[in-house]
Amino acid sequence: MDYAGTSEDRIIRARCLVVPPDSTGAPREVIRTVDAIDPRGPLIRTLEVGVCGTDIQIVAGTEGQLPASADEMVLGHEVLGRVAHSSTPGVETGQLVTCVVRDPDPVPCGQCRRGRPDLCSNGSWKERGIRELDGFMAEYWRAPADKLIPVPEELIHLGVLIEPASIVVKALDTLRTMDERLGMSDPSGHTLVIGCGIIGLLTTAFLRFAGHKVTVVDPAPPGSVAAQAATSFGAEYQSHQLVPGDMMTEQMIAAHRSIIDAAGVAFLPRLLATHGAENASCCVIGLPSGQHAEVDGGALLGTMVKRNQVLFGVVNSSRVHFEGAIELLREVDAAWPGVIGSTMTRIPFDRFREAFLPHARAGAKEILVFE
């Protein structure tokens, strides 16, 4: 695309999805103008954007924060795009890219200064499509070159999953660090993964690729696309709705020293307090949505102390996790060709409302396609 003409010739009209939503509860489609040539960073043409639980919650008004002095925000934080124009050395026009989500605190803390805004301690960070920054559900967008992550062309079919995969990479790295207290260099041989959405599936795939045993529990029936994918990775799949007081639920928690909650189970701390295993490490990735649970803080802390347990949460990720996710996605796709791809439902942008309707989804992940 040639932008060598006048400034008017360089103006692009880009369709975007924004919140607050319309009267039907769906994101609103608006048109924004973008100058193709801008010193603030390369221009990116969107190929695909993932729709996740966080997006759904932002549309519902339970998460998210609009930019200051703005009455709307472009959604989307999981993206695959192609550079449409760049005058920045090292960023080539035509290059496939994704983008980190979080911008560091403007008065950077020690973590932000060392390139880890995902661990920001000041709390004044911003996130694209989530908190105070426009996201990627737009035909065109731009970002500083240092925020862009090159994506290999051979990963074009899975590139939109790099951001959620980066969260999994961070979670597993943190879990390994927690296990160092036990004199172990990696997680235990058998991990319980709660939830079979895309985060749960990527967690399962990465653990299985590393040779670990995995049990996945999710309410979806064994014949669902996600369940079949988990089984293809060699995991044990159990179709079960975790319920407090249920014997099977309690046995699952008691039998696993490593637990990854990719679904946001609000009453999980209660289960850990009563049935958590010795030396257990529990990582929470998913945010509870519409769930409420009372927890006996004294019982939880007492169990954690007496049984040497760790309960921690993971959110956001840094550049190193994006780069690790690219390598793991490539390796997993080579080991189990097409399995991850089979869980993705691609929806043309013109039918974007389908991705935000409450319904039984055909796959583990819905993707908006802009081409």
Side-chain angles (χ1 to χ4, degrees), residues 351-363:
R351 292 163 38 201
F352 70 86
R353 291 176 179 273
E354 296 177 22
F356 293 91
L357 291 175
H359 63 286
R361 303 187 175 192

Side-chain angles (χ1 to χ4, degrees), residues 57-365:
Q57 292 175 16
I58 292 172
V59 172
T62 58
E63 293 289 340
Q65 183 176 339
L66 300 184
S69 302
D71 58 4
E72 65 183 27
M73 177 177 69
V74 178
L75 280 169
H77 57 278
E78 305 172 358
V79 67
L80 179 68
R82 196 176 292 280
V83 179
H85 180 270
S86 175
S87 57
T88 304
V91 181
E92 301 295 331
T93 298
Q95 187 175 8
L96 204 62
V97 295
T98 187
C99 187
V100 296
V101 176
R102 181 174 289 190
D103 276 10
D105 192 311
V107 183
C109 66
Q111 297 291 354
C112 290
R113 281 196 296 271
R114 73 181 187 98
R116 292 297 303 274
D118 58 304
L119 299 177
C120 177
S121 58
N122 288 347
S124 296
W125 42 265
K126 299 178 181 181
E127 289 180 334
R128 297 174 187 273
I130 300 174
R131 177 175 168 176
E132 297 188 76
L133 288 176
D134 284 327
F136 305 119
M137 284 189 189
E139 289 181 293
Y140 289 89
W141 50 274
R142 62 172 19 92
D146 63 350
K147 299 293 192 300
L148 299 176
I149 310 289
V151 177
E153 284 290 335
E154 62 266 29
L155 208 60
I156 189 171
H157 60 302
L158 297 179
V160 71
L161 299 182
I162 291 172
E163 192 278 337
S166 73
I167 305 295
V168 175
V169 169
K170 179 181 177 181
L172 296 180
D173 283 349
T174 308
L175 191 60
R176 281 189 286 269
T177 300
M178 295 298 102
D179 275 346
E180 290 178 0
R181 78 192 197 282
L182 305 175
M184 303 170 65
S185 59
D186 54 24
S188 69
H190 201 163
T191 300
L192 175 65
V193 176
I194 302 173
C196 206
I198 197 62
I199 291 288
L201 276 178
L202 291 171
T203 301
T204 300
F206 293 171
L207 285 170
R208 289 294 301 134
F209 184 77
H212 300 294
K213 295 179 181 179
V214 179
T215 294
V216 181
V217 59
D218 189 274
S224 68
V225 171
Q228 291 178 354
T231 303
S232 296
F233 294 136
E236 176 189 354
Y237 182 83
Q238 296 193 21
S239 178
H240 181 68
Q241 178 70 57
L242 273 70
V243 180
D246 174 74
M247 182 179 297
M248 183 176 176
T249 297
E250 294 170 352
Q251 288 175 345
M252 283 184 184
I253 298 299
H256 294 86
R257 192 188 59 75
S258 290
I259 301 172
I260 297 179
D261 177 13
V265 179
F267 55 83
L268 183 58
R270 186 195 307 176
L271 293 173
L272 291 173
T274 55
H275 292 85
E278 298 284 345
N279 302 321
S281 295
C282 181
C283 173
V284 180
I285 306 177
L287 288 173
S289 177
Q291 300 181 39
H292 301 280
E294 293 184 2
V295 178
D296 185 336
L300 176 60
L301 293 178
T303 300
M304 291 181 69
V305 170
K306 294 174 183 177
R307 299 184 186 177
N308 196 37
Q309 297 173 339
V310 174
L311 172 63
F312 65 98
V314 166
V315 68
N316 198 261
S317 56
S318 68
R319 189 180 190 94
V320 65
H321 303 121
F322 274 73
E323 293 167 348
I326 289 172
E327 292 307 310
L328 274 174
L329 281 171
R330 183 157 42 189
E331 291 173 334
V332 165
D333 194 47
W336 295 285
V339 174
I340 295 178
S342 70
T343 69
M344 301 163 68
T345 300
R346 287 182 162 88
I347 300 172
F349 178 82
D350 290 340
R351 292 163 38 201
F352 70 86
R353 291 176 179 273
E354 296 177 22
F356 293 91
L357 291 175
H359 63 286
R361 303 187 175 192
K365 187 67 178 178

